[in-house]
Amino acid sequence: MTAPSDNPADLDRQNPEAEIAARADAYRNWGRWGDDDRLGTLNFIDAAKRIEAAGLVREGVVVSLAQPFDTDGPQTGWRRRTNPVHTMTDTGTDAERGNQGFPHGIGGADDVIAMPLQCSTQWDGLGHIFDHGMAWNGRRAGDVVTSDGDLVTGIEHTRTSFVTRGVLLDVGAHLRPETGELEDGYAITAADLDATIAAQGASSRVRRGDIVLVRTGRYARARREGWNGYAGGPAAGLSLTTAGWLHRAEIAGIATDTWGFEVRPNEFDVPSFQPLHQVVIPNMGLSIGEMWDLDELADTCRRLGRFEFFLAAPTLPITGAVGSPVNPVAVL
């Protein structure tokens, strides 16, 4: 079978079903790690890979890649996704007034947070997206995710997985050096990824088991101008045609500074919705991170002259969840 083209010009923009199906068939990893697999491409990370990644720590610089988790976030209520609601249940005022019931003058503060698991910086779990009613590894979607949660590939199974070599590909800075920001609707191609690697140098070469971080500049603009449709609106992102690149690279995961990882609007002239998600999560088993803050990391990488680092981005072990908030840290 001929592999689908990496060139967006070859897409049949009237036929998303066929274009998605061709890539799902070509890049499907079902059974690659056994019938009981729960991790997908995270299996590419092994002990040797983590030891290699730990050796990248030289200056001891730590950069958080998380957006804030607060009520000023990007969510607008679509699919009942709201911004976090943080509530104090005990405060300093309570302590001053002595109404907390504690002995010998001790007081305290407590709080609670309510939020969708995918309202800010997060990982998509393998139970998050289905393809024609099928979940990762060829399972029926209804057998995997029920009202009790993800019974098979719940995010808790990845709680020790996201520790490996990270690589930043600052596509925004490479393609738009004057601003560092790609325009909305720009479809990042496999050629763009390769060109960014070549421009950045040897430290950004992508290897098996890496987590690749793609900076578009969209979050930088949101911080400067306001959210303005950041959640669900137009944005630069990966083209559907990068599916082959993602498969060939054997990366463990990929994350971007955008809401939806892939280009929006999607690349078809007829109705479509997140076609690259449909290929890479249920078929390839690739973990996707979204809404990461990659701006300080980009500045740090340029200052230090290298684009590789030790990355720790563990999920919260929320039993049965199909996504997880995360505070990823790059250590250089």
Side-chain angles (χ1 to χ4, degrees):
M1 182 180 68
T2 303
S5 172
D6 287 354
N7 186 348
D10 295 329
L11 279 177
D12 181 351
R13 296 178 184 270
Q14 298 296 321
N15 197 348
E17 279 274 354
E19 295 289 355
I20 294 167
R23 288 164 176 81
D25 291 343
Y27 308 130
R28 184 172 290 134
N29 282 326
W30 292 357
R32 183 169 183 170
W33 296 284
D35 293 340
D36 297 329
D37 181 66
R38 295 184 171 98
L39 299 179
T41 57
L42 290 171
N43 284 288
F44 288 133
I45 304 173
D46 57 17
K49 187 69 185 182
R50 293 192 177 99
I51 292 169
E52 171 201 351
L56 297 174
V57 179
R58 300 169 192 167
E59 284 80 12
V61 175
V62 181
V63 181
S64 170
L65 312 180
Q67 295 185 19
F69 286 79
D70 59 34
T71 55
D72 296 324
Q75 299 300 329
T76 61
W78 179 80
R79 291 192 72 190
R80 297 175 293 281
R81 289 183 183 174
T82 61
N83 294 310
V85 178
H86 177 221
T87 305
M88 300 305 303
T89 55
D90 261 327
T91 69
T93 304
D94 298 321
E96 284 184 9
R97 292 175 178 173
N99 61 10
Q100 292 182 319
F102 296 131
H104 51 73
I106 190 172
D110 256 359
D111 47 5
V112 63
I113 191 166
M115 66 179 187
L117 298 183
Q118 296 174 329
C119 66
S120 188
T121 306
Q122 54 97 22
W123 284 114
D124 284 344
L126 294 185
H128 177 52
I129 297 291
F130 311 120
D131 181 10
H132 291 84
M134 302 301 289
W136 162 243
N137 223 24
R139 305 176 178 104
R140 291 169 56 91
D143 293 336
V144 174
V145 182
T146 72
S147 58
D148 291 323
D150 187 334
L151 307 179
V152 181
T153 50
I155 207 73
E156 72 273 15
H157 297 294
T158 67
R159 61 190 178 274
T160 62
S161 297
F162 290 98
V163 180
T164 187
R165 175 179 181 256
V167 178
L168 174 68
L169 301 185
D170 194 348
V171 181
H174 173 63
L175 295 182
R176 303 291 183 268
E178 65 284 357
T179 64
E181 300 171 16
L182 299 176
E183 60 272 18
D184 290 342
Y186 183 86
I188 297 170
T189 67
D192 290 334
L193 298 174
D194 289 336
T196 302
I197 293 169
Q200 291 182 175
S203 68
S204 61
R205 290 175 184 160
V206 174
R207 301 197 289 268
R208 181 177 183 172
D210 290 342
I211 291 176
V212 174
L213 311 183
V214 177
R215 182 185 173 278
T216 70
R218 180 65 182 90
Y219 182 54
R221 177 155 57 88
R223 288 197 293 191
R224 184 177 66 251
E225 300 178 358
W227 292 115
N228 293 332
Y230 178 89
L238 272 70
S239 168
L240 175 62
T241 60
T242 61
W245 189 97
L246 298 171
H247 187 258
R248 293 189 297 271
E250 295 188 328
I251 58 174
I254 187 166
T256 71
D257 58 349
T258 68
W259 171 87
F261 161 68
E262 56 189 285
V263 63
R264 292 183 58 81
N266 302 136
E267 297 164 279
F268 295 96
D269 299 329
V270 297
S272 64
F273 183 72
Q274 303 301 77
L276 188 56
H277 275 67
Q278 189 174 341
V279 173
V280 301
I281 292 180
N283 290 290
M284 200 182 300
L286 179 67
S287 291
I288 294 175
E290 293 159 333
M291 293 181 282
W292 291 34
D293 177 0
L294 303 179
D295 294 335
E296 182 183 353
L297 177 63
D299 292 341
T300 303
C301 286
R302 281 191 292 271
R303 176 173 62 83
L304 297 179
R306 55 192 176 97
F307 292 83
E308 59 182 348
F309 38 85
F310 177 80
L311 179 66
T315 52
L316 299 179
I318 304 169
T319 302
V322 298
S324 173
V326 63
N327 175 28
V329 293
V331 190
L332 297 94

